[in-house]
Amino acid sequence: MARPLDLAVVVPTFNERGNVAELVSRLDRALAGRGWEVILVDDDSPDGTAEAARELARADPRVRVIQRIGRRGLSSACVEGMCATAAPVVAVIDGDLQHDETLLPAMLDRLTADPDLDLIVGSRFVEGGGTGEWDKDRVAKSALATRLARRVLKADLSDPMSGFFAIRTAIVRGLVPDLSAIGFKILLDLMTTSPRPLRFAELPYTFRVRTEGESKLDHVVALEYLIALYDRMFGRVVPVRFAMFSVIGLLGTAVHMGVLSLLYLGLGATFLAGQIAATLVALTGNFFLNNALTYRDRRLKGWRQLVDGWVSFAAVCAVGAVANVGIAGFLHDVRSGAWAVSALVGVLVGAVWNYALSSRFTWGRY
Ligand code: GDD
Ligand code: MN
């Protein structure tokens, strides 16, 4: 007789082939006597994590696998896993064995015992918890990120950066439409999105050392964290992607002027040749920056995708430039005194055009 399903454990994975079997066997031990399932959400890892997970799933139907193609992101993977279960409670845990799975039964029991609680957070910073063998540098960075998070959160959560927690699934389903789902910090996203403060309890655990595979936390992930905070604070006024696209656009203008001065003033090229070269360099730079940052989750890869993407980006921007010049010219004809305003409106219309169309045609294929 199957047990009623009490808990779903969602595990985001990227290149964790060496860890998934051990994780599932540890869950089996930790959750003995409970009705549970584990959902591994893999972003098509090159190391074949999804296939390794499916092999486990064939032997044990409590193991389920979602293989996402053409998408990346820890938070969005968690969201997808959390939406894929019928269990009333869902826990999120890393796939690299760094979180303490033996805490899961206690998390579940606390939620069952206290209907007023919405979620239980595994914390490294309450009495009894710890960051294990982290070096000073990572401790300092994590402390800074935690301070920032607390300011946005306005809740007295000791470890808002935690990626280890259990929450009532119905609450998640209610919040999903408004989540930003950017980057690494799904807990923070859930808690800042909720219109009413979520009621939480914290349980201590010690962050373990990773033995297999490697961490995916890099500078871009750190940048994504800041972006996610921006999104929380100002995202409704200026959407985060548009903000990034615009900042990169400004950078492109600087690159353009730099290349132009180098060629025209420095090397004595004609103005036209300088302009063409500067345009191509700035356009190409912006294309790659947007691909790596603004559209990181839908990044184009490989020669074919990159060439197609570049061509469509160039086409979109060419039309954007014509629109920019046309509109600025029109406004200037109407009121010739307002030349600066006319130019700025032209730039803004061009930027919105470039953004809207490139997000649809250059990065919108999935
Ligand atoms: N599906 C998917 N897609 N999974 C991902 C991705 C992704 O783009 N990036 C990372 N993961 C998975 C990893 O495979 C691992 O199972 C888990 O997410 C955590 O990634 P790590 O790269 O091991 O992160 P970490 O150890 O540096 O950070 C962890 O510690 C933080 C505490 O500071 C994460 O658990 C954070 O959530 C946690 O807050
Ligand atoms: Mn890790």
Side-chain angles (χ1 to χ4, degrees):
M1 221 359 240
R3 286 174 210 282
L5 183 60
D6 295 321
L7 175 71
V9 181
V10 168
V11 187
T13 60
F14 193 76
N15 286 345
E16 303 290 0
R17 190 187 178 95
N19 288 317
V20 285
E22 177 62 22
L23 178 70
V24 169
S25 90
R26 289 192 194 187
L27 290 176
D28 183 50
R29 254 173 289 151
L31 292 165
R34 317 273 179 152
W36 60 277
E37 67 178 352
V38 55
I39 303 170
L40 295 128
V41 188
D42 183 66
D43 286 352
D44 203 19
S45 304
D47 77 344
T49 305
E51 190 45 42
R54 279 192 292 270
E55 212 166 298
L56 300 167
R58 283 189 282 271
D60 183 345
R62 294 174 305 181
V63 179
R64 298 173 49 204
V65 184
I66 297 175
Q67 180 175 0
R68 305 200 304 168
I69 312 283
R71 271 173 300 161
R72 267 301 296 279
L74 176 46
S75 283
S76 65
C78 292
V79 171
E80 230 159 293
M82 291 191 280
C83 289
T85 184
V89 173
V90 61
V92 172
I93 189 169
D94 282 359
D96 56 2
L97 311 171
Q98 292 195 274
H99 293 154
D100 185 355
E101 70 291 334
T102 63
L103 212 60
L104 288 168
M107 287 176 158
L108 183 58
D109 290 344
R110 276 295 282 279
L111 284 176
T112 313
D114 187 349
D116 283 341
L117 281 176
D118 299 313
L119 76 157
I120 313 289
V121 181
S123 169
R124 299 163 292 170
F125 305 125
V126 289
E127 189 64 38
T131 45
E133 292 173 29
W134 274 12
D135 56 45
K136 273 216 175 75
D137 188 45
R138 170 123 197 210
V139 170
K141 284 180 185 150
S142 167
L144 176 66
T146 303
R147 272 206 303 281
L148 276 173
R150 283 213 197 119
R151 295 190 62 162
V152 181
L153 191 55
K154 297 179 208 92
D156 196 18
L157 189 59
S158 72
D159 194 357
M161 316 291 289
S162 179
F164 182 31
F165 59 92
I167 186 169
R168 297 189 198 279
T169 321
I171 294 179
V172 176
R173 274 193 294 267
L175 295 176
V176 163
D178 299 319
L179 293 177
S180 80
I182 298 169
F184 254 43
K185 297 303 159 196
I186 179 62
L187 174 66
L188 194 59
D189 200 0
L190 287 165
M191 294 194 71
T192 52
T193 298
S194 175
R196 66 165 175 91
L198 294 179
R199 286 158 308 211
F200 61 90
E202 301 181 293
L203 291 177
Y205 81 97
T206 300
F207 202 71
R208 297 188 194 125
V209 177
R210 183 192 261 277
T211 54
E212 290 285 319
E214 50 197 62
S215 171
K216 281 92 215 170
L217 197 118
D218 56 15
H219 293 295
V220 178
V221 170
L223 179 67
E224 270 183 338
Y225 176 64
L226 297 178
I227 293 167
L229 289 184
Y230 165 96
D231 189 45
R232 220 6 101 213
M233 292 192 279
F234 312 111
R236 272 173 216 284
V237 188
V238 182
V240 60
R241 271 198 224 272
F242 182 65
M244 292 180 70
F245 193 87
S246 304
V247 169
I248 291 172
L250 281 177
L251 221 69
T253 312
V255 167
H256 184 111
M257 298 310 282
V259 173
L260 179 63
S261 355
L262 179 76
L263 295 178
Y264 179 58
L265 298 178
L267 300 175
T270 64
F271 183 72
L272 182 65
Q275 272 286 31
I276 292 174
T279 304
L280 286 176
V281 172
L283 184 89
T284 306
N286 281 15
F287 170 71
F288 281 104
L289 277 177
N290 278 312
N291 194 45
L293 299 172
T294 316
Y295 294 103
R296 182 172 164 83
D297 57 334
R298 323 179 204 161
R299 200 167 354 162
L300 304 173
K301 285 193 216 105
W303 274 108
R304 244 210 100 80
Q305 283 187 11
L306 284 172
V307 170
D308 285 0
W310 187 90
V311 169
S312 76
F313 187 66
V316 166
C317 292
V319 182
V322 172
N324 173 352
V325 172
I327 284 177
F330 170 75
L331 290 176
H332 187 249
D333 286 347
V334 177
R335 283 197 66 168
S336 61
W339 64 271
V341 176
S342 306
L344 281 176
V345 172
V347 167
L348 191 68
V349 169
V352 171
W353 166 278
N354 287 353
Y355 170 69
L357 272 86
S358 69
S359 94
R360 170 79 182 76
F361 291 109
T362 308
W363 286 283
R365 255 161 295 150
Y366 290 110

